[in-house]
Amino acid sequence: MNLILLGPPGSGKGTQAKRLVQRYEIPQISTGDILREAVKEGTPLGREAKRYMDEGKLVPDEVVVGIVRDRLKGLDCQKGFILDGFPRTIAQAEALDRILGEMGRGIDHVIDIEVDKEELLRRLTGRRTCKRCGAMYHVVFNPPKADGVCDRCGGELYQRDDDKEETIRERLRVYEGQTAPLVEYYEKKGLLRRIDGTGGIEEVEARILKAIGDKG
Ligand code: AP5
Ligand code: MG
Ligand code: ZN
């Protein structure tokens, strides 16, 4: 199964991708996670990407397209993959079509997770992520058992650099301007599945499974 998770910052792409990974045993490819890892390692890619990410702007298309092209060649992607946060521009979507076409593959479903702006702001300002295993929490909606400590691995929880209110607002603007046009792009191809992203995490997951024809 080859999936794309579309949706604004904070809509729950990462949260849902991690659940789908467990269910289908296919990898999550999050360009945001890959870029944050590069920033942490201080690689040339990370140094370039950081400038854009800290301002809530998109990293140039060529950079992310290169990352995804390499990643899709991984043996673990043969059974399928979940793209989380890619593509984010029409140019990226067109590049993805070419890459998959060359591989003789295609996309099965594009899941557009819809959440209103006030809720997105609440979710992002309260988000905490585990430094060690990447598990995601929310101080109110999905709190860890002990403050600042990951339930799964005991790792330290941190707040993302781009989760400051001002940067969040810029990310939402960028989404509207550059990424929202992908809804129409995939609708025309008959691949778009619109999902109400409000309600509990399990409720949203159930809607996704239904939309992609998983009868459990
Ligand atoms: P990226 O890391 O992709 O961030 P994003 O798109 O802004 O999305 P988020 O990760 O913030 O949100 P999410 O939808 O994953 O929500 P989550 O599950 O965490 O990108 C970051 C940056 O990298 C970009 O700004 C750009 O600079 C660069 N970049 C990345 N990809 C790029 C690309 N393709 N091209 C160019 N640049 C790129 O959930 C959020 C919170 O809500 C959590 O606290 C969670 O616990 C909570 N939550 C989740 N579901 C629910 C629910 N149902 N109810 C209540 N709370 C919930
Ligand atoms: Mg994410
Ligand atoms: Zn952890």
Side-chain angles (χ1 to χ4, degrees):
M1 176 128 51
N2 304 337
L3 302 175
I4 292 175
L5 294 183
L6 202 65
S11 56
K13 300 183 295 295
T15 301
Q16 295 297 333
K18 288 190 164 54
R19 302 179 73 95
L20 296 168
V21 164
Q22 298 289 319
R23 189 173 182 90
Y24 297 119
E25 296 177 333
I26 53 177
Q28 170 193 14
I29 304 176
S30 161
T31 41
D33 287 351
I34 294 168
L35 293 169
R36 274 185 293 280
E37 197 56 38
V39 169
K40 203 169 87 186
E41 308 275 320
T43 64
L45 165 68
R47 284 198 298 275
E48 190 193 351
K50 187 171 164 45
R51 292 190 283 143
Y52 299 97
M53 297 173 81
D54 283 352
E55 288 186 12
K57 306 263 196 260
L58 294 182
V59 173
D61 289 336
E62 329 61 279
V63 176
V64 281
V65 166
I67 292 174
V68 172
R69 177 184 287 122
D70 290 345
R71 186 63 189 82
L72 285 172
K73 289 182 187 144
L75 280 180
D76 60 336
C77 292
Q78 283 182 353
K79 246 179 79 185
F81 51 80
I82 303 163
L83 284 167
D84 159 7
F86 180 94
R88 265 172 137 93
T89 62
I90 296 284
Q92 290 179 20
E94 290 170 349
L96 178 64
D97 286 345
R98 281 195 298 276
I99 292 165
L100 291 175
E102 282 161 18
M103 298 173 84
R105 308 182 67 172
I107 293 296
D108 297 306
H109 307 278
V110 177
I111 298 158
D112 180 31
I113 311 179
E114 300 176 323
V115 176
D116 67 68
K117 202 167 159 183
E118 290 314 305
E119 172 73 8
L120 293 173
L121 270 167
R122 277 194 292 274
R123 287 188 185 180
L124 290 174
T125 47
R127 171 167 57 191
R128 299 292 182 271
T129 310
C130 175
K131 262 188 186 160
R132 200 182 296 161
C133 78
M136 237 118 45
Y137 298 89
H138 188 282
V139 292
V140 179
F141 305 138
N142 181 24
K145 291 194 181 75
D147 248 10
V149 183
C150 178
D151 292 350
R152 274 176 44 193
C153 78
E156 185 191 336
L157 303 186
Y158 78 103
Q159 184 167 24
R160 260 168 56 175
D161 288 340
D162 60 349
D163 278 349
K164 293 192 275 292
E165 185 161 340
E166 195 193 312
T167 318
I168 294 170
R169 288 191 189 277
E170 178 59 18
R171 285 160 59 205
L172 293 174
R173 272 194 293 276
V174 167
Y175 182 84
E176 281 310 316
Q178 296 186 256
T179 308
L182 291 180
V183 170
E184 199 190 326
Y185 181 88
Y186 286 115
E187 194 152 47
K188 281 192 183 140
K189 292 180 184 279
L191 295 175
L192 195 77
R193 319 284 176 248
R194 285 178 200 273
I195 301 291
D196 173 3
T198 59
I201 290 169
E202 276 152 39
E203 248 175 288
V204 177
E205 183 188 21
R207 291 186 198 120
I208 293 175
L209 297 180
K210 192 169 164 220
I212 64 180
D214 184 327
K215 298 193 178 69

